[in-house]
Amino acid sequence: MDTVRTRRQVGATIAGAGLAVAGVMASALATIPVVVFLALDADDLTLPIYALLFVVGYIGLTLVGVAYLTLTGRGWRFLDLKPLDRESLKAVVGFTVLAVSFVVVVGILTTVTSLETSENVNLAPGLAGNTDYLLLLVLVALLVNGPAEEFLFRNVIQKSLYRVFSRRAAIVVTSLIFALVHIPAFWTTNYGALATSLSVIFVGSLVFGTAYAKTESLTVVALVHGLFNAVQIFMLYLVLTFG
């Protein structure tokens, strides 16, 4: 019995990882037709173009989850879209504060210990001086990044893992997958810095996973993730703009 359960857990983990990789690849591939159709090059990357590419990319990510729900017969009833009430709003605030507090603590520790972290490649234009780009990312985080990633990673992958894992184990497995698929975005040959960044992402994902497990609401966890990223990006904007 244990052997059968272990096999099912391994199979479910591989399936979840496959969905995550497919989502990342679909996100990248979805932008190619836009780049080709508009004949874009580096000089054409204005804020509206960046916004378009982000939206199209996250649509690609979302379509992988939609395809999975369709092909497995789960359909839209599998979605945990719930209206916000007083309790769910409390959960949004509480988990967002928890996640942001964790990042603040990490920031203090890395400063005190001189521990290096790697930068997200998506922040590059902002770090290069285009601070308006960071304001765009704040909107992207709230409107498309949080909802799209939480739909795939929590409502599809984590919830699917509940069949063979306990909820706590499903949160951990999903968070590990979530962290690993961020390797391309945080890639650096400084492996210590990469490991530190991925560890932070992993713990942040544990917060998101717990928020989803506690509330069983995609609405709540999408807002938590979106607000968490938006707050970080806006803080970076303030630092770069006002020193």
Side-chain angles (χ1 to χ4, degrees):
M1 183 65 70
D2 289 342
T3 301
V4 172
R5 181 175 178 80
T6 299
R7 288 177 179 174
R8 288 178 177 174
Q9 290 174 338
V10 171
T13 301
I14 293 173
L19 276 173
V21 172
V24 172
M25 292 179 64
S27 179
L29 292 173
T31 62
I32 293 177
V34 177
V35 173
V36 173
F37 179 77
L38 298 179
L40 299 175
D41 57 36
D43 296 329
D44 298 321
L45 295 179
T46 60
L47 288 181
I49 295 298
Y50 274 123
L52 176 62
L53 292 174
F54 273 118
V55 170
V56 170
Y58 282 114
I59 288 175
L61 182 82
T62 302
L63 287 177
V64 170
V66 172
Y68 174 79
L69 295 182
T70 302
L71 293 173
T72 59
R74 287 174 168 81
W76 297 112
R77 66 183 182 277
F78 201 69
L79 281 180
D80 290 320
L81 281 174
K82 298 178 180 179
L84 292 171
D85 55 21
R86 181 176 296 180
E87 290 304 312
S88 58
L89 283 173
K90 287 181 181 178
V92 170
V93 173
F95 281 107
T96 301
V97 170
L98 176 63
V100 172
S101 299
F102 166 70
V103 168
V104 171
V105 171
V106 169
I108 293 172
L109 289 176
T110 54
T111 300
V112 171
T113 62
S114 298
L115 192 64
E116 294 184 61
T117 57
S118 55
E119 295 291 348
N120 188 331
V121 67
N122 292 317
L123 296 177
L127 295 173
N130 187 357
T131 52
D132 287 342
Y133 169 82
L134 295 176
L135 292 179
L136 169 65
L137 283 188
V138 170
L139 293 176
V140 169
L142 286 170
L143 300 179
V144 292
N145 170 235
E149 289 195 346
E150 290 310 305
F151 163 62
L152 181 61
F153 284 93
R154 243 56 65 173
N155 203 156
V156 173
I157 297 176
Q158 180 174 311
K159 186 175 180 179
S160 296
L161 290 177
Y162 290 166
R163 294 175 300 156
V164 293
F165 287 101
S166 67
R167 292 206 170 192
R168 288 184 179 180
I171 292 170
V172 173
V173 172
T174 304
S175 295
L176 181 60
I177 294 171
F178 185 77
L180 291 177
V181 297
H182 278 78
I183 289 176
F186 286 83
W187 176 255
T188 173
T189 53
N190 183 337
Y191 300 124
L194 177 62
T196 300
S197 293
L198 295 182
S199 297
V200 173
I201 294 169
F202 173 75
V203 176
S205 184
L206 291 178
V207 176
F208 303 149
T210 302
Y212 175 67
K214 292 288 187 182
T215 64
E216 297 185 336
S217 171
L218 174 59
T219 311
V220 167
V221 73
L223 281 172
V224 172
H225 190 159
L227 287 168
F228 171 69
N229 284 353
V231 168
Q232 290 186 86
I233 296 166
F234 188 66
M235 289 170 64
L236 178 60
Y237 167 80
L238 293 177
V239 169
L240 295 177
T241 303
F242 302 106

